[in-house]
Amino acid sequence: MTTVKRWQWFSVFNYSLFVLLGILMLYPFWYVLMYSFNDPIAPSSTGLNLYPRVFSLDTYKYVLNQKFLYVGFTNSIIVTVGGTLISMLLTIGCAYPLSKAQLKGRRLFFSVIFFTMLFSGGLIPTYILVSKLNMVNTLWALMVPGAVVVYFLIIMIKFFKGIPEELIESAKIDGANDMYILFRIALPLSKAVLAAVGLMYAVMRWNEYLPGIIYINDSKKYVLQVILNGMLNEETLASSGGASSITSPESVKMAAVILTILPIVMIYPFLQKYFVKGMLIGAVKG
């Protein structure tokens, strides 16, 4: 009985601790959401707690009425979709051969790739390379450089190693080549890790900001993060037609944060089960 009571108290403490941690993690997001729905002038005078004191959509109306915002959305979608596809193709094409012990020079290839995880060429050499490839001021500059993240590559290599060799050997006996095995056996068994790595690549591309500042000069090719950053500038707000009397920089900032994370938040629930399985890197189920 004493042991059972101890476990009950431990369970109560454990659940209470995780509930508290959950509240601490969710409150900043809730605060930003409520702030964005509050009247633009109210936060500075009345403060803001768990709900908007004066509910208003003026901030969202102001943000969504900016025509260049839709240009940023379009460019960000192109970069996210195109960049994720390029990254996934390159990562899969590199991870599958490196997961095979019979690959000649496997350790050397992996050592060279792992070296890039520890040391990079730096900003200036990278810019020179992008410039020599004629990708400056194009969306390719936001998709091709850094297309493969070594950490994600290692995750995929470990997952491919978990595929039973018996399946591979039986397919080879039936006359299947490596490409057939990859697309008809390995990838269907790797939906979990593909969803997990794909989601992480998509989030990385969606949040692309610094490369958009460095490589893009044409305002028609700005991504969403760059445009939202410009909207948060008080001088930009003031010069856009009396915006300071309609909304406030802080309200615009909160609305911009919500609009930025909303697409990822909408996609994540559909990939959650695959994301958890992929990150655990467990056994492959047939």
Side-chain angles (χ1 to χ4, degrees):
M1 292 296 294
T2 304
T3 305
V4 174
K5 289 183 178 179
R6 287 180 179 178
W7 276 108
Q8 289 178 347
W9 281 109
F10 174 77
S11 299
V12 172
F13 173 78
N14 198 24
Y15 282 114
S16 300
L17 177 61
F18 279 101
V19 168
L20 179 61
L21 291 176
I23 293 174
L24 292 176
M25 293 178 183
L26 289 175
Y27 177 73
F29 175 78
W30 181 258
Y31 176 84
V32 171
L33 181 64
M34 293 299 101
Y35 200 114
S36 65
F37 282 119
N38 201 55
D39 187 90
I41 303 177
S44 59
S45 58
T46 63
L48 187 68
N49 295 320
L50 297 177
Y51 57 91
R53 298 295 180 88
V54 182
F55 184 83
S56 175
L57 295 176
D58 290 343
T59 302
Y60 284 99
K61 290 179 181 178
Y62 166 75
V63 173
L64 294 176
N65 281 333
Q66 308 302 316
K67 295 182 179 179
F68 50 82
L69 182 69
Y70 298 97
V71 175
F73 260 111
T74 302
N75 292 332
S76 289
I77 291 174
I78 294 174
V79 170
T80 301
V81 175
T84 301
L85 290 176
I86 292 173
S87 297
M88 290 298 293
L89 288 175
L90 294 177
T91 303
I92 293 171
C94 186
Y96 184 72
L98 289 176
S99 66
K100 302 303 176 183
Q102 61 268 27
L103 177 66
K104 295 182 179 180
R106 173 173 168 269
R107 291 186 177 180
L108 176 61
F109 294 144
F110 186 80
S111 298
V112 172
I113 294 173
F114 185 75
F115 181 83
T116 63
M117 185 178 182
L118 304 177
F119 303 97
S120 63
L123 180 60
I124 295 177
T126 303
Y127 183 86
I128 294 175
L129 176 61
V130 173
S131 178
K132 292 296 183 180
L133 294 174
N134 295 321
M135 291 192 297
V136 174
N137 211 29
T138 66
L139 295 181
W140 291 108
L142 307 181
M143 295 185 286
V144 177
V148 177
V149 177
V150 179
Y151 176 71
F152 301 160
L153 176 65
I154 294 174
I155 292 177
M156 198 167 289
I157 290 174
K158 289 185 177 180
F159 201 95
F160 283 144
K161 282 183 178 180
I163 298 178
E165 283 295 329
E166 291 78 6
L167 291 175
I168 308 299
E169 294 298 330
S170 62
K172 288 183 178 180
I173 292 174
D174 292 336
N177 55 26
D178 291 328
M179 295 299 293
Y180 183 91
I181 294 173
L182 173 61
F183 286 101
R184 298 300 296 271
I185 297 177
L187 294 184
L189 291 174
S190 306
K191 292 180 180 179
V193 73
L194 293 177
V197 174
L199 179 61
M200 290 187 288
Y201 271 129
V203 172
M204 182 182 71
R205 293 302 181 188
W206 181 262
N207 292 328
E208 206 83 86
Y209 170 71
L210 186 59
I213 292 292
I214 297 174
Y215 301 127
I216 305 298
N217 301 319
D218 187 358
S219 59
K220 294 181 180 180
K221 298 179 181 179
Y222 281 161
V223 292
L224 181 63
Q225 308 297 335
V226 176
I227 290 178
L228 290 178
N229 180 71
M231 292 178 61
L232 299 182
N233 191 308
E234 292 188 31
E235 296 180 359
T236 303
L237 291 172
S239 63
S240 60
S244 58
S245 61
I246 300 175
T247 184
S248 67
E250 287 299 320
S251 299
V252 173
K253 183 184 298 183
M254 301 303 179
V257 170
I258 297 298
L259 292 175
T260 302
I261 66 176
L262 187 60
I264 301 299
V265 172
M266 293 174 63
I267 294 175
Y268 181 77
F270 298 99
L271 301 177
Q272 181 181 8
K273 60 178 181 179
Y274 298 111
F275 185 81
V276 174
K277 292 180 182 178
M279 294 306 296
L280 290 177
I281 312 298
V284 178
K285 297 182 179 180

